[in-house]
Amino acid sequence: MTLKQVIEALVFASPKPLSAREIVAALKEAGKASEEETVRAHGGTKEAEVGSLLEEIKTDLLATGRAMQLVE
C-alpha cells in the first residue's frame, strides 16, 4: 500500500478529524510495531509530506467527482 493510500484510509476510517501531526504519530507507531519494511518506512514520514499528500487526496476527490470531500 502506498503512503497516500494509507493516509486516505486513516482519514476516512477515523471517527474524528485527524491533524497531520496525529497522522504522523499513527504512522510512527505502526512503523515501530511492524516487521514489514514498507510499514516501517512509512514510520519516518514528516508532517510536510503528510500535508502534501492530503492536498493530493483532496484534489483527487474533487477531480473524480466523488461524493465526499476533504476539508481542513
Side-chain angles (χ1 to χ4, degrees):
M1 196 178 265
T2 67
L3 179 58
K4 183 176 174 181
Q5 291 170 323
V6 171
I7 292 171
E8 185 173 1
L10 285 169
V11 167
F12 289 107
S14 177
K16 68 173 193 75
L18 294 174
S19 68
R21 179 172 288 158
E22 290 170 313
I23 293 170
V24 167
L27 293 170
K28 185 179 287 187
E29 286 303 311
K32 287 180 192 177
S34 180
E35 293 183 14
E36 188 176 327
E37 186 58 37
T38 305
V39 177
R40 292 175 65 91
H42 292 336
T45 303
K46 304 293 183 210
E47 209 170 312
E49 186 176 5
V50 169
S52 176
L53 288 170
L54 287 169
E55 283 299 317
E56 281 185 34
I57 293 166
K58 181 179 179 178
T59 301
D60 292 348
L61 290 170
L62 288 172
T64 57
R66 305 273 296 274
M68 56 194 128
Q69 61 181 332
L70 186 63
V71 294
E72 185 173 1

